Amino acid sequence: MTRDKRATNVSVSEIERARGRLDDSVVQQTPIETSRSLREETGAAVLLKMEHLQRTGSFKTRGAYNKLVQVTESDPELSRVVAASAGNHAQGVALAATKTGLDSTIVMPQNAPQAKIDATAGYGADVELHGHDFQAAMEHARSLVGEGSLFVHAYDDPDIVAGQGTLGLELLEQVPDVDTVIVPVGGGGLLSGIATVIGERAPETRIVGVQATGAATLPDSLQKGNPQERESVQTIADGIATGGISQLTYDCIEPYVDEVVTVSDTEIAESLLFTLERTKQMVEGAGATTIAALRSNRLDVDGETVVPVLSGGNLSMTDLQTILTHGLTARGQLVRFRVHIVDEPGRLERISEIVADHGANVRNVRHERSVENLDVGEAYLYFRIETSGTEQTDRIMNAVRDADFSVTRIN
């Protein structure tokens, strides 16, 4: 594979120097784990880079600590840093600031997961909630910067990118024969750092970026030749819902990245559930995008050695419940259906017996009589049931019909 050689704003030597600054108490070398399930599904030797096991639950501490170690040395008057984040950069900056003796103020969107808000405060930051997306939070954060303080961007900063690139150095040492590396993309800082290292040190390795369909800006940016933004983003992968990349990250990505894959929220939810079940690892939506890309059949990896980066694991229990519900519904394991009945005693019991006889569980039932198209004496029963999958669901639907009920599956 031949790559264009062009100057970028971050060099491998800067990434190596960044690695020398990292403190083991802040940033650990994360392990590589083999996935037998993904090997069987894809035909590739799949080695997971477990970056979600970092102390803060994501890679973001690498860049934040590299940045703040340098600014505290160069600017003794600096007392506070300010940042904007949906969660992971917030925690990285908060921990790095505390470790380097700085105060920190982090602005997060009002809809940020409570678990990430609490974790950020727990690392020593003053947290302010502002706006409904990352861009609004960042605008407000910039307005807070005054004398003695510094704004720390999540990705539009060479020191941040260099710090994230230390993951690329680590990965190549752990898997020197890697054929394909798959990296999630929000603002592009992680992909920029990894791509710079691999593009220079292992130019035959394929580099793939992954974005959520509802937040994808990289494909359009590469097609048009400059960074593009989206006015609104909609994805369960809040860690990569930035709405755009920067000129810096674009310049690092464009020469080295071979492919970009987009994945839907349904694919992300299913892959998060797959990762939880098969690898016993809980990752957040952004971290699951690389597994989603691998399982999507949009990448030919048969016979290769592939490393998907699991970039983060900061998932609140509320978000986990939402994503699991979405994933189970997509699998046909959480099913809603409506039954038209004559409203008389025993009908609900009869249908519940059919569900039970097929080994499924009724999660809840709603009884509706006041519906416009129903005659007097008729009703609808709305069931929500748990099944083992599509085949069991189909058997239940057919059994209900065989019992002379009119049934309609709703999802």
Side-chain angles (χ1 to χ4, degrees), residues 173-201:
E173 290 174 359
Q174 293 170 310
V175 192
D177 59 346
V178 60
D179 295 304
T180 297
V181 176
I182 310 175
V183 186
V185 185
L190 179 62
L191 181 60
S192 292
I194 292 176
T196 299
V197 170
I198 293 177
E200 292 296 324
R201 292 288 176 83

Side-chain angles (χ1 to χ4, degrees), residues 34-48 179-180 182 206 294 299-308:
T34 301
S35 172
R36 184 180 297 107
S37 297
L38 286 170
R39 175 192 282 273
E40 293 172 354
E41 185 171 329
T42 66
V46 180
L47 305 174
L48 306 174
D179 295 304
T180 297
I182 310 175
R206 176 171 53 163
L294 192 58
L299 292 172
D300 182 7
V301 296
D302 187 40
E304 292 188 359
T305 297
V306 181
V307 178

Side-chain angles (χ1 to χ4, degrees), residues 199-240:
E200 292 296 324
R201 292 288 176 83
E204 297 303 313
T205 298
R206 176 171 53 163
I207 305 168
V208 178
V210 187
Q211 288 196 303
T213 302
T217 57
L218 184 54
D220 192 32
S221 298
L222 292 172
Q223 183 179 16
K224 293 181 178 177
N226 54 72
Q228 301 296 309
E229 295 184 353
R230 293 176 66 129
E231 290 187 4
S232 63
V233 296
Q234 184 64 47
T235 177
I236 60 175
D238 60 281
I240 55 174

Side-chain angles (χ1 to χ4, degrees), residues 47-61:
L47 305 174
L48 306 174
K49 178 59 173 168
M50 315 284 271
E51 190 65 10
H52 65 297
L53 299 180
Q54 282 291 354
R55 177 175 171 182
T56 61
S58 90
F59 68 94
K60 290 287 191 175
T61 316

